[in-house]
Every structure is written in structure tokens, then in C-alpha cells.
Amino acid sequence: AIETGLPIVPVYCFGETSTHNISRLFLKQRLWLSRRFRIAIPFAYGDGSVLQRLNPIDVPLTSVVGEPIRVEQHPAPVPDELV
């Protein structure tokens, strides 16, 4: 956005955590891995085959779009401008 000067549009979606069932199996170990290596390892489960488990549960989602945030264009931004 800084290089092109395009505005940043904030978007948030409510209800995403209800789209899959997540197992508590090995939760302590997965939380440790998540904190240590900054990765998530969810174990999703549900009815049906393995492929069926990858499909999200049909729940209502609400998306909220904020006002665009204007960004001043800098063709070659320095690292301090990227924070």
C-alpha cells in the first residue's frame, strides 16, 4: 500500500470460529507449538468422510467493512515506514 499509495480497507468477519468443530485432542501440545513456533495445528472433526470435514459448517457470518485508511505513497519506503 505504501509503494502504490492505495488505501487500506479494514475488514473483519464475525462467526468464523463456528464454521468448524475443533478437537481438544493434544491441546496442551498444540498450544505449546503455537506459542513456540507461531503456527496453528487445528484438528477439525465432523460427520462424514475426510473431505466432508474440510467443508465449513453452514452458519451465518457477518462481515464488517471499515472506512478506507489513506496511505501516503512512497515508491521506496524505508523499514521505519513499514511499522
Side-chain angles (χ1 to χ4, degrees), residues 58-75:
D58 189 17
V59 295
L61 299 176
T62 303
S63 295
V64 180
V65 180
E67 292 292 322
I69 301 168
R70 295 191 188 280
V71 178
E72 190 175 323
Q73 183 176 6
H74 292 279

Side-chain angles (χ1 to χ4, degrees), residues 2-57:
I2 293 175
E3 290 178 356
T4 61
L6 293 174
I8 298 171
V9 180
V11 178
Y12 190 82
C13 186
F14 294 92
E16 288 179 335
T17 57
S18 301
T19 59
H20 289 87
N21 294 320
I22 304 297
S23 172
R24 297 182 62 82
L25 185 67
F26 301 115
L27 182 60
K28 265 188 178 179
Q29 293 84 352
R30 290 186 296 141
L31 288 174
W32 180 84
L33 284 169
S34 175
R35 290 185 189 110
R36 176 85 166 109
F37 299 106
R38 304 184 119 201
I39 59 169
I41 306 172
F43 290 157
Y45 68 92
D47 299 329
S49 68
V50 173
L51 292 177
Q52 187 68 23
R53 294 177 194 167
L54 299 176
N55 292 332
I57 299 168

